[in-house]
Amino acid sequence: MRMRSLLVIPLAALAVALVRPASAAVVVDGIVAVVNGEIITLLELEKAGAAVLGERLRAVAPADREQVRRETLKPLLDQLVLQRLEAQRARELGIQVAPQEIDAAVAGILAENHFSEEVLDRLIRERGMNREEFRADIQSQIRHQKLVRQEIGARITVSDEEIGAYFTEHRQEWRRPEKIRIRHLLVPLPATPSPAEVEGARARAAALRARAAGGADFADLVRAETPGAAPGVDPISGEIVRGELFPALEEAAFALPVGGVSEPVRGPAGFHLVQLAEQTPAYEPSLEEMRANIERKIVERKTRERFDAWLQQLRGSATIEIRY
């Protein structure tokens, strides 16, 4: 069970002021929908959309706020209707969520996000909720997961043919190119060097390469030849893939063994020397390595598709009155 989503979405809106339209106070007892005899109030609807509604209302002129308010809340009302249908069906099936399950989910949120209880309480308040409402939100998500498993999950199967087709379609996404990390030394040239300057830089680069071949620490050579280099800091690059270096330098760098130093390579800025510090070979997983992951993804997709269809059937057989 993944509960991280309970806080990931609200965290993106922590800095948004929860602006409520002035008219909300006048119609707090308004009924916006009736679902199989159960009402959904305007207060519930506005609370569900408080964060996104506040953000949007801040960005529009006062004259446009009522229209934006309705455009924002209307789709949220549809979600509340579906949630109410889910809750009703869960009651029919006797699906319950024990307090201990909610406690475990809260503990998982704290551990996964490295939150203290105080931080969690603050985030809950910034969402415009209290602890009871937050626990009710978690209860709803756990109930949803149980309902999905009971109504949909047991009937989902995945064939070998489906797994093979998915692997073929997505195998490019899992390929990892060869990557290297290098130490780089440049013997610079002026923008328009004379022949003598070119030969001097070439000789200097060759001498440095000879020192490295003779056992000198290449990192020390880089630091000594690089103005402003930090003493004692390894001048190693980040990961590099093919296409990130100019062609001649790329060819030299990727052909080296780990620890090897290239011959001087002429480039627009001067003569380059590189040492291959690390190499990560290209990798393409096999079908068997990806089988469990692929099966999980197909199950998730089928579950979403079938649950959406099931929920629409549930809605079609329900008595729903929309008053908003």
Side-chain angles (χ1 to χ4, degrees):
M1 178 173 62
R2 296 184 62 193
M3 303 302 298
R4 187 184 182 95
S5 60
L6 292 170
L7 282 171
V8 169
I9 295 175
L11 283 174
L14 289 178
V16 177
L18 301 182
V19 178
R20 295 291 183 90
S23 59
V26 179
V27 288
V28 291
D29 294 324
I31 297 174
V32 293
V34 182
V35 183
N36 290 330
E38 295 184 14
I39 66 171
I40 298 175
T41 68
L42 180 62
L43 183 62
E44 291 178 80
L45 179 58
E46 290 188 331
K47 196 170 188 65
V52 64
L53 180 61
E55 183 177 7
R56 292 180 180 176
L57 290 179
R58 289 180 54 171
V60 300
D64 299 325
R65 286 184 177 178
E66 183 59 28
Q67 178 181 351
V68 172
R69 175 174 171 268
R70 294 189 68 84
E71 290 174 351
T72 302
L73 294 181
K74 190 70 173 176
L76 290 176
L77 176 57
D78 189 61
Q79 294 177 25
L80 289 182
V81 168
L82 295 178
Q83 289 172 11
R84 188 61 55 89
L85 288 171
E86 281 191 36
Q88 292 171 352
R89 180 58 177 163
R91 287 199 300 270
E92 291 176 7
L93 296 173
I95 294 175
Q96 298 181 350
V97 180
Q100 294 85 347
E101 294 177 274
I102 303 175
D103 293 341
V106 172
I109 292 170
L110 292 172
E112 186 173 355
N113 294 279
H114 307 290
F115 290 157
S116 65
E117 292 281 355
E118 292 74 16
V119 169
L120 181 60
D121 281 333
R122 175 173 59 80
L123 296 177
I124 291 172
R125 289 194 301 271
E126 290 175 354
R127 288 183 61 188
M129 303 173 69
N130 55 39
R131 270 278 184 164
E132 290 71 24
E133 292 168 327
F134 181 66
R135 288 178 65 86
D137 190 15
I138 295 177
Q139 181 185 39
S140 177
Q141 294 199 33
I142 298 174
R143 184 181 60 223
H144 168 81
Q145 292 165 350
K146 289 185 174 184
L147 183 62
V148 169
R149 285 196 296 269
Q150 183 161 333
E151 292 286 82
I152 305 297
R155 295 193 290 274
I156 292 178
T157 60
V158 180
S159 69
D160 287 341
E161 290 74 16
E162 289 176 297
I163 293 174
Y166 190 101
F167 178 78
T168 300
E169 181 181 355
H170 295 274
R171 65 190 308 168
Q172 291 287 351
E173 301 171 15
W174 301 316
R175 286 176 176 165
R176 296 293 178 264
E178 180 183 9
K179 299 177 182 179
I180 61 173
R181 299 180 73 192
I182 63 173
R183 297 181 182 91
H184 171 251
L185 188 157
L186 173 65
V187 178
L189 282 171
T192 54
S194 67
E197 287 172 324
V198 171
E199 288 308 312
R202 189 193 308 275
R204 177 64 179 163
L208 290 167
R209 202 271 176 189
R211 290 177 60 188
D217 189 317
F218 192 76
D220 288 341
L221 296 177
V222 174
R223 284 190 290 264
E225 295 293 320
T226 305
V233 176
D234 189 354
I236 191 171
S237 72
E239 288 187 326
I240 298 170
V241 298
R242 292 184 184 274
E244 295 183 352
L245 304 174
F246 68 86
L249 188 61
E250 176 180 288
E251 182 180 356
F254 277 87
L256 290 169
V258 174
V261 177
S262 71
E263 296 290 340
V265 177
R266 174 73 186 272
F271 287 90
H272 302 260
L273 295 173
V274 292
Q275 180 186 55
L276 183 61
E278 297 177 11
Q279 181 182 44
T280 303
Y283 169 71
E284 180 177 345
S286 67
L287 173 59
E288 288 309 309
E289 288 176 296
M290 297 302 300
R291 177 177 293 276
N293 184 44
I294 292 172
E295 184 173 11
R296 176 179 57 79
K297 288 180 179 293
I298 295 175
V299 168
E300 289 175 353
R301 175 179 56 78
K302 286 186 174 183
T303 299
R304 287 193 302 269
E305 293 171 351
R306 295 189 184 184
F307 189 80
D308 288 344
W310 173 85
L311 199 55
Q312 291 307 316
Q313 290 177 355
L314 191 64
R315 180 171 188 159
S317 63
T319 300
I320 301 171
E321 180 184 355
I322 302 297
R323 300 182 182 179
Y324 186 76

